[in-house]
Amino acid sequence: MASDKTEPKGQSNEVVDHTSKAVDNASKEMIKKARIDCVDICYDRADAQRNQCAFGKSGVCCRICHMGPCRITPKAPKGICGADAATIVARNFLREVVGGTASHSDHGRHLALKLRNVALGEGNGYTIRDEKALYRVAKLYEIETEGREVNDIALDLANLFIDEFTVQEYPLATLKLAPLKQQSIWKNTGTAPFGIDRMCVEAMHRTHMGVDHDYKNILMHAFRTSLADGWGGARIASMTSDILFGTPNPIKSEANMGVLGANTVNILVHGHEPTLSEMLAATVNDPEILEYAKSVGAEGVTIAGICCTANEVLMRHGVVVAGNMLQQELAIVTGAVEMMVIDVQCCMPSLPEVAARYHTEIVSTSEIAKMHGATHLGFDEEHPVESAKNIIKRACDNYKNRDPEKVQIPNDKSNLIAGFSVEAIKYMLGGKFRASFRPLNDAIIANRIFGVVGIVGCNNPKQTADEYATILTKELIKRNILVLQTGCAAIAAGKAGMLQPEFGLEDAGPGLREICEAVGIPPVLHLGSCVDNSRILEAASEIVFEGGLGDDIGGLPAVGVAPEWMSEKAIAIGCYFVASGVDVVLGNEFYVSGSENVTKFLFEDAKEIFGGSFHLIEDPYEATDRICEIINEAREALGINKKAERKLFDMQDRRELDV
């Protein structure tokens, strides 16, 4: 039996300066410290993998059956079974979409089940914190609310959500939240998804050896599966989180590694599931916990977020953010972290190895996400308060093991405002009694706001962390484009100071600045975690429903961008944006270049089918220009591509108004 251990071969002993792989000073400082402390981080491992498999990168390596693996070349244009490059590339692409869809949708399933437990009186500390959100969502699904108990309404909604995963023979009910024309496009193209689980299972069946070999058919199911994520699982996750934990409203906080306390017990929460992090945030200031922290010599407890868990607790509690995806190792390198609590998604298996150089304890909490070298403390959802307190106390007990000589906390941190849910945006635009997207639509029609861009996604060691996202954001707001951000891209903006209203006053174009000043919003809006990309589609739907800018999302002057993406989730997200009619700009490539047919379908033909397609643009300045061209084309088609004249009305003008 072969050993799991492999010896590195052909690696250079050259010392590489990786500080160029990050733009923020805190990361640069910790990259240097990691080198001094002899800690292997993701950039070192990326160097060891620099000669990546060309067959894998082009998508023409097939491992689906054990007659292979088969690799497509000019001399061997077909696999052993006869599959050509288009079939192989399309199958690999669909399987990546399935991975992303399953990840975000399982998040939604977990929350739907939690809502059902709460409705049955089995919440064990969890409650419905936002009844308005419950009534709002129930209305969307035509669930009767008049004269009924809150828990009865919640139970009907929870059961409906759970059915979205299992329904076999008719489309998801959540698709009805989209504009009618959008629904018609999905129906006519056969891409309206049935149950989320069925779509994932069917995708795996289609890609089994000897099943679906038509690359177009395979790719259409990729879009169909992704829609089960964006308009199914992810949308359910966001709505259920609002009901259970509260609909986000603008809230102040700070971002970057300078948020760690020199004299406090520092706990990092990292991953994507909000149930544990919510309970940690709720109990950290309990007098019992504060007293316990003082008993070990600390001044208190600092909870800080990494990655999308950071966004979840940030936008509801103002919990500070230590960093995004590529800072998870670097935060440990500060030497000041007592514990990192992880659950699912984007948690690097390297974390225990990095932590072993310091006193940090890595604690895994999910039964589906155990990690070799980490301490597994399964989160007890029947006793969540006690479970959260025990985790915090365990971190406090580790405080005495901190080595002052290894501690180096960067000073870098920036103020930010986060938590712009669609409801919050509507309130800010219209107030309590006239909340709507009307002022935004009017500003777009009047050409004061040129368009709207959603910037989403991860970090990727192949690129300089945060560089593409921050450059693009600055360039877009200069051109009067309102920017909506989620996930690690939003954290990048926060670290760069872009989530402050003052940033907009200084750098936004005159039209966008005028609107931001009038409404009181920054030009860059933090909408939440990566699962909250569904909020961007919700906002786009609200613009359509408000009127004046066409009757489907595909006609809007709007673009999506994944500047530094790296995960299967990002592929699924990109697909459901395209299938919703939105052009999507990628900062780095899909693994599809091995098939011209597949590449053409995704980057050209999809436009004719859905109204949106993919665009690969690796330079942020070029991306800005292309985004503006796409928005301009949409404005031309809508007939709004001229700035309305502003006229000061005198009394005679006012008398002539028929109001």
Side-chain angles (χ1 to χ4, degrees), residues 56 119 132 162 237 258 263 271 292 302 351 381 383 387 411 449 501 526 579 637 651 654 659:
K132 288 184 178 179
I162 293 167
N263 301 305
Y292 196 90
T302 298
L351 292 173
E381 296 198 19
H383 305 91
S387 188
N411 293 322
I449 293 180
H526 176 289
M651 188 55 67
R654 293 178 184 276
V659 294

Side-chain angles (χ1 to χ4, degrees), residues 158-420:
N159 286 332
L160 186 151
F161 283 162
I162 293 167
D163 285 346
E164 294 285 75
F165 291 87
T166 59
V167 63
Q168 300 297 311
E169 296 179 324
Y170 50 87
L172 298 179
T174 308
L175 298 181
K176 295 179 181 178
L177 305 186
L180 287 174
K181 186 174 179 180
Q182 217 71 50
Q183 297 178 47
S184 177
I185 291 171
W186 298 330
K187 180 180 179 181
N188 293 336
T189 56
T191 51
F194 292 178
I196 298 162
D197 292 348
R198 175 179 166 179
M199 292 300 94
C200 291
V201 170
E202 185 176 312
M204 295 303 289
H205 182 193
R206 282 173 182 257
T207 55
H208 188 277
M209 184 270 162
V211 186
D212 198 347
H213 303 129
D214 182 336
Y215 76 92
K216 291 182 180 180
N217 206 39
I218 295 169
L219 293 174
M220 287 298 282
H221 191 70
F223 286 114
R224 189 185 187 199
T225 302
S226 74
L227 286 169
D229 177 12
W231 290 91
R235 186 73 184 270
I236 288 169
S238 294
M239 291 188 292
T240 310
S241 291
D242 289 352
I243 293 167
L244 290 173
F245 310 129
T247 302
N249 281 299
I251 191 168
K252 292 182 179 180
S253 190
E254 298 175 315
N256 218 337
M257 286 184 274
V259 302
L260 297 175
N263 301 305
T264 64
V265 175
N266 293 313
I267 301 173
L268 297 178
V269 289
H270 175 25
H272 285 73
E273 297 282 6
T275 47
L276 171 57
S277 57
E278 280 283 331
M279 200 55 68
L280 290 171
T283 58
V284 69
N285 292 318
D286 186 290
E288 176 188 348
I289 293 297
L290 295 176
E291 191 63 34
Y292 196 90
K294 290 178 181 178
S295 74
V296 301
E299 295 177 358
V301 179
T302 298
I303 287 187
I306 293 282
C307 216
C308 277
T309 290
N311 287 308
E312 292 280 0
V313 290
L314 162 65
M315 63 183 179
R316 292 188 173 92
H317 301 284
V319 170
V320 293
V321 178
N324 48 9
M325 197 267 178
L326 289 184
Q327 288 180 292
Q328 58 185 282
E329 295 173 312
L330 301 179
I332 296 173
V333 174
T334 64
V337 175
E338 275 61 57
M339 180 182 288
M340 178 182 282
V341 182
I342 63 174
D343 47 56
V344 297
Q345 300 175 30
C346 299
C347 303
M348 292 185 180
S350 64
L351 292 173
E353 295 179 15
V354 176
R357 294 282 184 170
Y358 307 95
H359 73 298
T360 306
E361 182 177 24
I362 307 298
V363 173
S364 62
T365 58
S366 171
E367 293 303 316
I368 69 167
K370 294 184 179 181
M371 184 179 288
H372 183 70
T375 302
H376 185 73
L377 298 176
F379 181 51
D380 185 355
E381 296 198 19
E382 292 187 4
H383 305 91
V385 176
E386 293 89 338
S387 188
K389 286 184 177 181
N390 288 338
I391 288 172
I392 296 173
K393 288 179 179 178
R394 186 182 179 102
C396 290
D397 291 338
N398 197 25
Y399 182 73
K400 65 180 181 295
N401 297 318
R402 186 188 291 189
D403 183 349
E405 293 186 1
K406 291 186 176 181
V407 174
Q408 184 179 329
I409 302 174
N411 293 322
D412 302 79
K413 60 181 179 180
S414 297
N415 295 323
L416 61 84
I417 296 178
F420 288 91

